[in-house]
Amino acid sequence: MPELPEVETVARDLRGLIVGATITGAVGDWPRAIASHPTIEEFSDALAGRRVESVGRRAKLVVVRLSGAAALTIHLKMTGQLFVVPGGSSADRHVHVRFALADGRELRFRDIRKFGRVGCWPLDPVTGEPLDPADGGALFAGTGPEPLDDAFTLGAFRRRLRGRRGRLKPLLLDQGFIAGVGNIYADEALWRARLHPLRSVGTLRPPDEARLHREVRAILLEAVERRGSSIDDYTAPEGDGFMQERLDVYQRTGEPCPRCGRPIRRVVVGARATHFCSWCQRLPAADRRGAAAILRATRAPATKGAPATKGRRWTELAAEGSLGLTPAEAERAAARARAERARRAAATRRANARAGAGSTPAGAGAGEDA
Ligand SMILES: [Zn+2]
């Protein structure tokens, strides 16, 4: 499921593709994908004629600001993907909403599991934030602070922790506590901070809070730089991310912990798979009984039964020409991918060379001299 870094990447890619374009309408085959209007026709009417002024992100939603004081939000949820394609390109059955642009292109929302939602909202004339006309309140009223904002200081984090009880993993996933963190980066941040996922908030000492604050921000920043983690169905308009190669514990059950070498463990907390190292992430004695009770009460999800609905991965669609990139765009994307692969290969060679030089100071070089 796309989290802050993945949605940020989608928003940045989209920015380069649609800012300045005018939306002429929307069509779709899945009315439940529309969060703001009862029908796709009304949603389309609300969008028609509006120009895209900017593309940003709030929590896990893409926020497209439109002319005439409106915003289009796109919540990718589990499997949502966005592509900008020439109008009339072939589409597979997982494309559920298509936004027509005046220049002939289409913005397509592809969503295999169909949990994703889009909406068109008026903006508050005072704050400029999207409003939910259903209750007149701000759409993001219940959403916590952005962890990468300058305002999200250690002091601000501590003040939010004061009012909280419960365990760290569910707390980090709570979008009202902090925006944008999901299963992947909660597990990674807790491992980096050496804090057990079932640690209770009340047992945190000031240095624990400082580590958690630092590591949540660090992992999210690093993941944004790497275009997010392309696990399962996540991809962005200009291609996959590569943070998945840098994850230390997420979906690495049984592999050695990069810090201590003991196997990574997996438990289910609140129906979410949770990965951690029981050696590096110790539970204080006061938390052990409560944690054991939580683990007894949760059963691992059944592995039998019907597999989850899965479409083809985005990369598998390329042969049909449905990616929507013009040849020039495809070449640019390929060039970027080649440059990135070359850069990573060079970094690996340098790391190997350094490791080799360190362990055998009089190795190959000495042999050549002789
Ligand atoms: Zn460890």
Side-chain angles (χ1 to χ4, degrees):
M1 174 160 172
E3 305 179 25
L4 183 156
E6 289 76 30
V7 181
E8 179 69 29
T9 303
V10 169
R12 289 180 182 186
D13 283 2
L14 211 51
R15 193 175 298 155
L17 294 168
I18 65 167
V19 168
T22 297
I23 300 176
T24 54
V27 292
D29 66 353
W30 184 241
R32 277 164 62 185
I34 313 299
S36 55
H37 294 79
T39 65
I40 290 180
E41 289 72 26
E42 286 164 87
F43 174 65
S44 177
D45 288 346
L47 287 168
R50 296 186 191 271
R51 200 174 59 85
V52 175
E53 293 183 339
S54 67
V55 184
R57 176 194 59 77
R58 176 74 171 103
K60 298 180 192 173
L61 278 72
V62 175
V63 181
V64 181
R65 289 182 180 269
L66 303 169
S67 60
L72 166 67
T73 58
I74 301 157
H75 199 172
L76 304 172
K77 287 290 182 85
M78 291 185 74
T79 57
Q81 302 168 333
L82 289 168
F83 302 106
V84 179
V85 301
S89 309
S90 64
D92 71 12
R93 64 192 176 90
H94 300 297
V95 172
H96 295 298
V97 186
R98 300 150 70 134
F99 302 86
L101 303 180
D103 57 20
R105 295 178 302 158
E106 278 182 13
L107 169 63
R108 287 184 181 170
F109 184 49
R110 181 174 185 264
D111 189 10
I112 292 163
R113 300 287 298 272
K114 299 203 281 195
F115 290 120
R117 296 291 180 266
V118 299
C120 180
W121 317 93
L123 298 185
D124 184 311
V126 178
T127 64
E129 292 303 309
L131 290 174
D132 184 351
D135 61 7
L139 194 62
F140 293 110
T143 306
E146 286 292 328
L148 296 183
D149 273 4
D150 290 342
F152 190 71
T153 59
L154 177 56
F157 182 55
R158 286 197 163 125
R159 282 191 293 280
R160 294 191 76 73
L161 283 172
R162 293 291 166 267
R164 293 294 183 143
R165 307 160 71 102
R167 312 278 167 165
L168 292 180
K169 174 77 186 274
L171 184 67
L172 290 179
L173 297 184
D174 178 352
Q175 298 300 295
F177 176 69
I178 176 174
V181 177
N183 216 29
I184 299 173
Y185 301 109
D187 283 3
E188 294 293 317
L190 287 168
W191 179 82
R192 287 185 174 202
R194 299 171 184 249
L195 295 169
H196 195 287
L198 290 175
R199 178 95 176 246
S200 58
V201 174
T203 66
L204 292 181
R205 295 163 301 133
D208 300 325
E209 296 171 346
R211 280 202 316 285
L212 184 56
H213 175 259
R214 187 180 68 230
E215 299 303 344
V216 164
R217 286 169 56 98
I219 190 81
L220 293 173
L221 264 179
E222 191 181 334
V224 167
E225 283 168 11
R226 293 172 181 277
R227 298 180 52 81
S229 301
S230 279
I231 296 172
D232 298 332
D233 292 290
Y234 162 70
T235 191
E238 302 216 31
D240 282 357
F242 38 94
M243 185 65 189
Q244 64 277 12
E245 298 155 17
R246 300 284 292 238
L247 302 179
D248 289 309
V249 291
Y250 184 76
Q251 290 189 350
R252 299 201 183 281
T253 311
E255 294 180 33
C257 165
R259 212 159 32 209
C260 74
R262 290 170 178 82
I264 298 297
R265 291 189 54 194
R266 176 185 184 277
V267 294
V268 177
V269 179
R272 310 297 298 275
T274 296
H275 310 80
F276 68 105
C277 171
S278 55
W279 180 263
C280 295
Q281 296 165 267
R282 296 289 189 87
L283 263 183
D287 273 343
R288 286 189 195 139
R289 272 181 65 183
I294 291 170
L295 292 179
R296 270 198 307 275
T298 53
R299 291 166 47 202
T303 48
K304 286 181 182 171
T309 312
K310 277 215 161 202
R312 285 169 300 167
R313 259 194 67 68
W314 166 80
T315 42
E316 294 162 351
L317 297 171
E320 297 176 359
S322 53
L323 286 188
L325 297 182
T326 64
E329 288 167 340
E331 178 49 38
R332 269 209 321 274
R336 266 199 307 277
R338 279 197 301 274
E340 177 56 28
R341 277 198 298 275
R343 195 189 63 71
R344 273 153 56 195
T348 306
R349 279 197 301 276
R350 280 197 301 277
N352 288 340
R354 274 198 302 277
S359 57
T360 54
E368 280 161 22
D369 286 344

